[in-house]
Amino acid sequence: MAQAAHRPPVRGPTFIRLLARLTEAELAPSGPSLPDRLGQWLDWKHALALAAALDARPAEAAGDAGAPDDLHAECARAREVLAAAINDAPLLAPATPAEPDYAAFRQLCLNRQRATQAAVGRLRGKLRDALAASPGMNQLAEVDAAMEVAITPREHTLLAKVPELLGQRFERLRTAGDASTTWLDSFRRDMRSVLLAELDLRFQPVDALLAALRTS
Protein backbone atom coordinates (compact mmCIF):
# COMPACT_ATOMS: atom_id res chain seq x y z
CA MET A 1 0.00 0.00 0.00
CA ALA A 2 1.35 3.40 -0.96
CA GLN A 3 2.07 5.66 1.94
CA ALA A 4 0.91 9.26 2.05
CA ALA A 5 3.64 11.78 1.43
CA HIS A 6 5.04 13.10 4.66
CA ARG A 7 5.60 16.82 4.94
CA PRO A 8 8.25 17.83 7.44
CA PRO A 9 6.98 20.21 10.12
CA VAL A 10 7.51 23.89 9.44
CA ARG A 11 9.45 25.68 12.14
CA GLY A 12 9.11 29.32 13.04
CA PRO A 13 6.47 31.72 14.36
CA THR A 14 2.82 30.71 14.39
CA PHE A 15 2.18 33.13 11.53
CA ILE A 16 4.67 31.35 9.24
CA ARG A 17 3.40 27.89 10.19
CA LEU A 18 -0.20 28.92 9.54
CA LEU A 19 0.58 30.30 6.09
CA ALA A 20 2.59 27.22 5.21
CA ARG A 21 -0.32 24.97 6.18
CA LEU A 22 -3.01 27.02 4.43
CA THR A 23 -1.04 27.49 1.22
CA GLU A 24 0.29 23.91 1.26
CA ALA A 25 3.73 25.37 0.60
CA GLU A 26 6.86 23.26 0.71
CA LEU A 27 9.34 25.38 2.62
CA ALA A 28 13.04 24.74 2.78
CA PRO A 29 14.03 23.11 6.10
CA SER A 30 16.74 25.71 6.61
CA GLY A 31 17.77 29.03 5.22
CA PRO A 32 20.40 31.72 5.58
CA SER A 33 21.44 32.67 9.08
CA LEU A 34 20.04 35.86 10.60
CA PRO A 35 23.21 37.92 9.90
CA ASP A 36 23.25 36.72 6.29
CA ARG A 37 19.55 37.51 5.89
CA LEU A 38 20.01 41.01 7.30
CA GLY A 39 22.95 41.51 4.98
CA GLN A 40 20.63 40.84 2.05
CA TRP A 41 17.98 43.24 3.34
CA LEU A 42 20.11 46.22 4.42
CA ASP A 43 21.63 48.56 1.88
CA TRP A 44 24.77 50.52 2.70
CA LYS A 45 22.88 53.55 4.02
CA HIS A 46 20.86 51.46 6.44
CA ALA A 47 23.98 49.52 7.46
CA LEU A 48 25.81 52.76 8.25
CA ALA A 49 22.87 54.09 10.27
CA LEU A 50 22.68 50.86 12.25
CA ALA A 51 26.44 50.83 12.83
CA ALA A 52 26.30 54.43 14.08
CA ALA A 53 23.52 53.53 16.51
CA LEU A 54 25.44 50.51 17.79
CA ASP A 55 28.65 52.52 18.23
CA ALA A 56 26.99 55.48 19.94
CA ARG A 57 27.88 56.15 23.54
CA PRO A 58 25.06 56.01 26.09
CA ALA A 59 23.73 59.50 26.75
CA GLU A 60 22.26 60.99 29.88
CA ALA A 61 18.54 60.59 30.41
CA ALA A 62 16.60 63.22 28.48
CA GLY A 63 13.75 63.52 30.97
CA ASP A 64 10.48 61.80 31.75
CA ALA A 65 8.77 60.53 28.59
CA GLY A 66 6.02 58.52 30.28
CA ALA A 67 5.67 56.02 33.08
CA PRO A 68 6.35 52.40 32.09
CA ASP A 69 3.05 51.27 33.62
CA ASP A 70 1.11 53.82 31.58
CA LEU A 71 2.84 52.78 28.37
CA HIS A 72 2.30 49.11 29.13
CA ALA A 73 -1.43 49.76 29.60
CA GLU A 74 -1.59 51.81 26.40
CA CYS A 75 0.09 49.05 24.39
CA ALA A 76 -2.19 46.43 25.90
CA ARG A 77 -5.28 48.49 25.07
CA ALA A 78 -4.14 49.06 21.50
CA ARG A 79 -3.53 45.36 21.02
CA GLU A 80 -6.93 44.47 22.48
CA VAL A 81 -8.68 46.92 20.17
CA LEU A 82 -6.91 45.56 17.11
CA ALA A 83 -7.65 41.96 18.10
CA ALA A 84 -11.31 42.79 18.76
CA ALA A 85 -11.61 44.37 15.30
CA ILE A 86 -10.56 41.00 13.87
CA ASN A 87 -12.55 38.74 16.17
CA ASP A 88 -15.72 40.85 15.91
CA ALA A 89 -15.58 41.57 12.17
CA PRO A 90 -19.08 40.81 10.82
CA LEU A 91 -17.58 39.39 7.64
CA LEU A 92 -15.78 36.71 9.66
CA ALA A 93 -18.80 35.69 11.72
CA PRO A 94 -19.95 32.10 11.06
CA ALA A 95 -23.16 31.36 9.19
CA THR A 96 -23.41 34.83 7.66
CA PRO A 97 -24.58 35.12 4.04
CA ALA A 98 -22.00 33.88 1.57
CA GLU A 99 -19.87 36.41 -0.26
CA PRO A 100 -19.89 36.04 -4.07
CA ASP A 101 -16.14 36.54 -4.30
CA TYR A 102 -13.03 37.32 -2.30
CA ALA A 103 -13.05 41.12 -2.76
CA ALA A 104 -14.68 41.99 0.59
CA PHE A 105 -12.34 39.66 2.50
CA ARG A 106 -9.34 41.17 0.74
CA GLN A 107 -10.38 44.68 1.75
CA LEU A 108 -10.87 43.57 5.35
CA CYS A 109 -7.37 42.08 5.36
CA LEU A 110 -5.85 45.27 3.96
CA ASN A 111 -7.72 47.44 6.48
CA ARG A 112 -6.54 45.33 9.41
CA GLN A 113 -2.95 45.34 8.16
CA ARG A 114 -2.92 49.13 7.78
CA ALA A 115 -4.47 49.70 11.20
CA THR A 116 -1.95 47.38 12.86
CA GLN A 117 1.02 48.92 11.06
CA ALA A 118 -0.05 52.43 12.08
CA ALA A 119 -0.59 51.45 15.72
CA VAL A 120 2.72 49.60 15.99
CA GLY A 121 4.62 52.52 14.47
CA ARG A 122 3.04 54.96 16.91
CA LEU A 123 3.70 52.75 19.93
CA ARG A 124 7.32 52.10 18.96
CA GLY A 125 7.89 55.84 18.75
CA LYS A 126 6.45 56.38 22.24
CA LEU A 127 8.47 53.51 23.69
CA ARG A 128 11.69 54.82 22.13
CA ASP A 129 11.02 58.22 23.68
CA ALA A 130 10.59 56.54 27.06
CA LEU A 131 13.79 54.54 26.62
CA ALA A 132 15.72 57.66 25.64
CA ALA A 133 14.61 59.15 28.95
CA SER A 134 15.95 56.14 30.89
CA PRO A 135 19.63 56.08 31.93
CA GLY A 136 21.73 53.98 29.58
CA MET A 137 18.81 52.98 27.33
CA ASN A 138 19.01 55.64 24.64
CA GLN A 139 21.29 53.44 22.53
CA LEU A 140 18.59 50.76 22.32
CA ALA A 141 16.11 53.41 21.21
CA GLU A 142 18.48 54.52 18.44
CA VAL A 143 19.08 50.93 17.31
CA ASP A 144 15.35 50.25 17.15
CA ALA A 145 14.77 53.43 15.15
CA ALA A 146 17.48 52.42 12.68
CA MET A 147 16.09 48.89 12.40
CA GLU A 148 12.55 50.16 11.84
CA VAL A 149 13.66 52.35 8.95
CA ALA A 150 15.71 49.53 7.44
CA ILE A 151 13.35 46.60 7.91
CA THR A 152 9.88 48.14 7.52
CA PRO A 153 9.96 48.34 3.68
CA ARG A 154 10.97 44.67 3.47
CA GLU A 155 8.35 43.72 6.04
CA HIS A 156 5.70 45.64 4.13
CA THR A 157 6.61 43.87 0.89
CA LEU A 158 6.45 40.42 2.46
CA LEU A 159 3.23 40.96 4.41
CA ALA A 160 1.57 42.48 1.35
CA LYS A 161 1.47 38.91 -0.01
CA VAL A 162 -0.90 37.79 2.75
CA PRO A 163 -4.12 38.98 1.02
CA GLU A 164 -3.06 37.14 -2.14
CA LEU A 165 -2.29 33.93 -0.24
CA LEU A 166 -5.62 34.10 1.56
CA GLY A 167 -7.32 34.65 -1.79
CA GLN A 168 -5.76 31.47 -3.11
CA ARG A 169 -7.02 29.62 -0.03
CA PHE A 170 -10.52 31.04 -0.62
CA GLU A 171 -10.59 29.81 -4.21
CA ARG A 172 -9.30 26.34 -3.32
CA LEU A 173 -11.92 25.87 -0.62
CA ARG A 174 -14.70 27.20 -2.82
CA THR A 175 -13.73 24.89 -5.66
CA ALA A 176 -13.57 21.86 -3.37
CA GLY A 177 -16.69 22.82 -1.37
CA ASP A 178 -20.33 21.97 -1.86
CA ALA A 179 -23.48 24.08 -2.00
CA SER A 180 -23.43 24.66 1.77
CA THR A 181 -21.40 27.37 3.49
CA THR A 182 -19.26 24.91 5.41
CA TRP A 183 -16.21 25.73 3.31
CA LEU A 184 -16.77 29.46 3.82
CA ASP A 185 -16.93 29.13 7.59
CA SER A 186 -13.69 27.16 7.41
CA PHE A 187 -12.10 29.98 5.42
CA ARG A 188 -13.33 32.54 7.93
CA ARG A 189 -11.65 30.63 10.74
CA ASP A 190 -8.45 30.40 8.72
CA MET A 191 -8.44 34.11 7.91
CA ARG A 192 -9.12 35.08 11.52
CA SER A 193 -6.24 32.90 12.70
CA VAL A 194 -3.85 34.39 10.12
CA LEU A 195 -4.78 37.98 10.98
CA LEU A 196 -4.38 37.37 14.71
CA ALA A 197 -1.03 35.66 14.14
CA GLU A 198 0.12 38.59 12.00
CA LEU A 199 -0.95 40.94 14.79
CA ASP A 200 1.26 39.01 17.22
CA LEU A 201 4.14 39.08 14.75
CA ARG A 202 3.92 42.84 14.18
CA PHE A 203 3.78 43.48 17.93
CA GLN A 204 7.06 41.68 18.63
CA PRO A 205 9.16 44.91 18.51
CA VAL A 206 6.65 46.57 20.85
CA ASP A 207 6.87 43.65 23.28
CA ALA A 208 10.68 43.77 23.17
CA LEU A 209 10.81 47.51 23.85
CA LEU A 210 8.31 47.12 26.70
CA ALA A 211 10.47 44.40 28.24
CA ALA A 212 13.54 46.64 27.99
CA LEU A 213 11.66 49.54 29.54
CA ARG A 214 10.51 47.45 32.47
CA THR A 215 14.09 46.44 33.26
CA SER A 216 15.55 49.94 32.87
Side-chain angles (χ1 to χ4, degrees):
M1 180 180 299
Q3 295 182 346
H6 174 69
R7 295 180 62 200
V10 176
R11 302 184 184 277
T14 300
F15 177 67
I16 300 299
R17 289 186 280 111
L18 269 174
L19 286 181
R21 177 178 65 82
L22 298 182
T23 59
E24 301 176 357
E26 293 290 346
L27 300 183
S30 62
S33 64
L34 179 58
D36 290 340
R37 182 78 69 181
L38 287 176
Q40 296 172 7
W41 289 3
L42 302 181
D43 61 24
W44 66 272
K45 292 182 180 179
H46 293 147
L48 287 177
L50 181 58
L54 290 170
D55 291 340
R57 292 183 178 181
E60 296 296 329
D64 187 10
D69 290 342
D70 293 341
L71 286 171
H72 181 82
E74 181 177 353
C75 292
R77 284 194 302 270
R79 192 170 192 160
E80 289 173 0
V81 168
L82 291 166
I86 296 170
N87 285 317
D88 300 337
L91 192 61
L92 298 183
T96 54
E99 288 292 324
D101 56 39
Y102 177 66
F105 292 101
R106 181 179 186 276
Q107 190 59 51
L108 173 63
C109 183
L110 291 173
N111 290 343
R112 292 299 89 221
Q113 286 185 316
R114 290 165 184 162
T116 301
Q117 183 178 8
V120 167
R122 175 178 57 83
L123 293 172
R124 285 178 79 171
K126 285 192 171 186
L127 289 168
R128 286 196 296 265
D129 289 344
L131 284 170
S134 300
M137 300 299 289
N138 66 295
Q139 185 179 30
L140 177 58
E142 293 177 4
V143 169
D144 182 71
M147 288 296 292
E148 184 177 20
V149 171
I151 299 300
T152 295
R154 178 69 176 182
E155 178 186 81
H156 180 75
T157 298
L158 292 174
L159 293 178
K161 298 178 181 178
V162 172
E164 177 185 348
L165 294 175
L166 286 173
Q168 295 171 6
R169 175 69 170 175
F170 180 92
E171 294 300 334
R172 280 197 301 272
L173 289 175
R174 181 166 66 172
T175 300
D178 52 29
S180 70
T181 60
T182 302
W183 69 269
L184 186 55
D185 287 340
S186 178
F187 172 76
R188 288 180 172 123
R189 290 191 296 271
D190 291 340
M191 182 171 179
R192 183 184 298 108
S193 296
V194 168
L195 292 179
L196 290 173
E198 182 179 338
L199 175 64
D200 289 341
L201 184 74
R202 287 183 183 265
F203 257 78
Q204 285 182 358
V206 173
D207 294 338
L209 292 175
L210 275 174
L213 189 59
R214 285 195 295 267
T215 60
S216 63

